[in-house]
Amino acid sequence: MTDVLRRGRASLAFGFFAQGAAFALLVTRIPAVQDRYGVSDALLPAFLAAVPILAGVGSVTTEQLVKRVRPSRLLRWSQPVVLLALLGVGAGGQGQVAALAVALGVFGLAVGALDASMNMLGVSLQRTYGRSIMLSFHAAYSLGGIVGASLAWAGAHWHLALWVSYLPVVAVLLPAALVGSRWYVDGEPAPVADDRAGGGVVFKLLLPLCLVMTFAYIGDSTVSNWSAKYLKDVLGSSEQLATVPYNVYMITTLVGRAVGDYGVRRLGAVTVVRLGTLVAAGGFAVVAVAPGAWIGMLGFTLLGLGLCVLVPQTFAAAGRMFPGASDTAIARLNIFNYVGFLIGSPLVGTLGDTWSYRGAMLVPMVLVLVTLVYARSFAAQPDRYGGGHERPRTADVGRGSNGL
């Protein structure tokens, strides 16, 4: 590996970290945002739904932009926009609902471009390395999420204004991300022998991965939105203990992703995805039948270890399936990240209110298990050299995103 590639990997990992921190700072302070702007309970769901919807629009737009602009350039400029939009969310005041709508709208559009472009770079860099490294990028994202959630807790604990909580983070991350972006590495489409991979993305072939992405994010949003309520209202925990499952989930997600690339190299992507699916399904089953809070937390721990491998490997599989059009495949696949997020929270809430929350936990379990049906989609695709797609390829490693 050259120093150029190592710097490219480190700078991209920092980009993932910064995005994880920014997103966590927003979503964990939603109650404070609601209070600051005076948003009603009836209007809040519309604001929250608008962010992933606009992020999907941003991802679709990115698919078109990367035909003319390198993904590294899109990532370089979308990340500062996300951070500035986060600061904008914290800068408004009581009654300035229109300002909040604009800030969240910009945040959503920029996040869509950011998520798509940084996963494009991750997949192309993994192809250049010739071995699995995609999980390490998402581990950096998880670490950023833990840091962001911890800073959000500190801000809430000391009753800091939102802009006071956000400004130091943005002041540190924004210039650091801009400096790091100088070392992003763009790859070139892989040489392919068949018309399918070289001519573009066939959605029928991509659909299994789209479903896996959707179901993985339904599972993830179930934990992030309902773990605290489930532990407190269903399993009878204290309010303080109810805050623990999501932190445990984030930590086990980080641990699983930190070691996941090693598992992919030793066992292969298909085996790792199958194991992750079974562990995640087991986690939902434990949560559904748990007699008390501590067993419930064991279930959420298993969920973190299982779900953590699915999303990074789904992006990587899309790159392997369409090596000549991986950017397009990833941009389209990224949309289903937001579809799962939109479906997951209301699905569990509706089932919990009309049926039972224990029963509601079995629905994402069944959906996640569908991944087993599509596990072969994660296999390395043969190329014209007769090997798997993770064979090293030529990349534009002689220059960074600024063309120097």
Side-chain angles (χ1 to χ4, degrees):
M1 289 297 119
T2 67
D3 289 340
V4 172
L5 288 178
R6 292 191 183 96
R7 286 195 297 267
R9 181 178 179 181
S11 61
L12 182 58
F14 181 80
F16 272 85
F17 171 86
Q19 171 58 358
F23 192 76
L25 278 166
L26 176 65
V27 299
T28 56
R29 298 302 308 274
I30 290 299
V33 172
Q34 183 180 11
D35 291 342
R36 183 174 181 84
Y37 286 89
V39 178
S40 67
D41 289 340
L43 188 58
L44 183 62
F47 277 89
L48 298 181
V51 174
I53 290 172
L54 289 171
V57 173
S59 189
V60 171
T61 304
T62 301
E63 177 187 342
Q64 302 304 317
L65 289 175
V66 293
K67 297 175 182 177
R68 301 174 179 84
V69 182
R70 289 181 177 275
S72 60
R73 287 186 179 272
L74 291 178
L75 178 55
R76 183 181 193 182
W77 297 113
S78 60
Q79 192 142 52
V81 173
V82 168
L83 292 168
L84 290 173
L86 175 68
L87 188 60
V89 169
Q94 192 71 22
Q96 297 179 332
V97 177
L100 175 63
V102 171
L104 288 177
V106 173
F107 186 91
L109 288 169
V111 159
L114 175 60
D115 286 346
S117 57
M118 71 182 182
N119 280 292
M120 289 173 186
L121 286 184
V123 167
S124 66
L125 196 59
Q126 174 171 281
R127 184 183 295 122
T128 305
Y129 263 70
R131 66 177 188 270
S132 178
I133 60 172
M134 195 66 183
L135 278 156
S136 67
F137 295 128
H138 286 261
Y141 181 93
S142 297
L143 179 60
I146 293 170
V147 171
S150 300
L151 292 173
W153 177 88
H157 180 73
W158 282 297
H159 305 289
L160 300 178
L162 282 173
W163 73 269
V164 175
S165 296
Y166 291 166
L167 181 59
V169 177
V170 173
V172 171
L173 292 182
L174 195 154
L178 282 174
V179 171
S181 69
R182 289 175 54 84
W183 293 288
Y184 290 154
V185 175
D186 284 295
E188 299 297 338
V192 292
D194 57 82
D195 293 337
R196 180 208 69 188
V201 175
V202 179
F203 185 72
K204 181 179 179 180
L205 298 175
L206 188 64
L207 181 59
L209 297 179
C210 295
L211 293 175
V212 171
M213 180 70 78
T214 300
F215 299 153
Y217 269 98
I218 287 175
D220 181 82
S221 65
T222 297
V223 179
S224 60
N225 289 292
W226 296 105
S227 59
K229 179 178 177 62
Y230 188 87
L231 221 70
K232 183 174 182 295
D233 294 351
V234 179
L235 301 183
S237 78
S238 66
E239 185 171 352
Q240 184 176 4
L241 187 61
T243 64
V244 174
Y246 184 68
N247 288 330
V248 170
Y249 172 77
M250 290 296 294
I251 291 169
T252 53
T253 295
L254 171 61
V255 171
R257 287 173 172 174
V259 301
D261 283 319
Y262 176 77
V264 173
R265 295 168 199 160
R266 291 296 301 271
L267 304 174
V270 173
T271 299
V272 168
V273 167
R274 284 174 175 162
L275 288 173
T277 299
L278 292 173
V279 171
F284 275 119
V286 170
V287 169
V289 303
W294 290 103
I295 301 299
M297 279 197 285
L298 172 62
F300 287 114
T301 300
L302 292 173
L303 278 169
L305 291 173
L307 288 176
C308 70
V309 301
L310 298 185
V311 171
Q313 285 306 303
T314 304
F315 279 120
R320 289 193 294 269
M321 186 175 290
F322 299 99
S326 61
D327 289 349
T328 299
I330 289 165
R332 294 183 187 181
L333 180 63
N334 188 57
I335 297 169
F336 291 85
N337 159 353
Y338 313 117
V339 172
F341 188 85
L342 278 171
I343 293 174
S345 180
L347 174 67
V348 172
T350 301
L351 290 173
D353 291 338
T354 59
W355 179 28
S356 77
Y357 280 98
R358 287 187 183 272
M361 290 294 167
L362 298 176
V363 175
M365 180 193 77
V366 172
L367 294 176
V368 167
L369 280 172
V370 174
T371 300
L372 295 175
V373 178
Y374 300 123
R376 293 305 304 172
S377 297
F378 291 82
Q381 303 295 315
D383 60 25
R384 68 179 178 182
Y385 301 98
H389 174 69
E390 291 194 359
R391 175 187 178 276
R393 68 176 178 126
T394 303
D396 182 17
V397 298
R399 55 184 178 181
S401 63
N402 59 359
L404 297 178

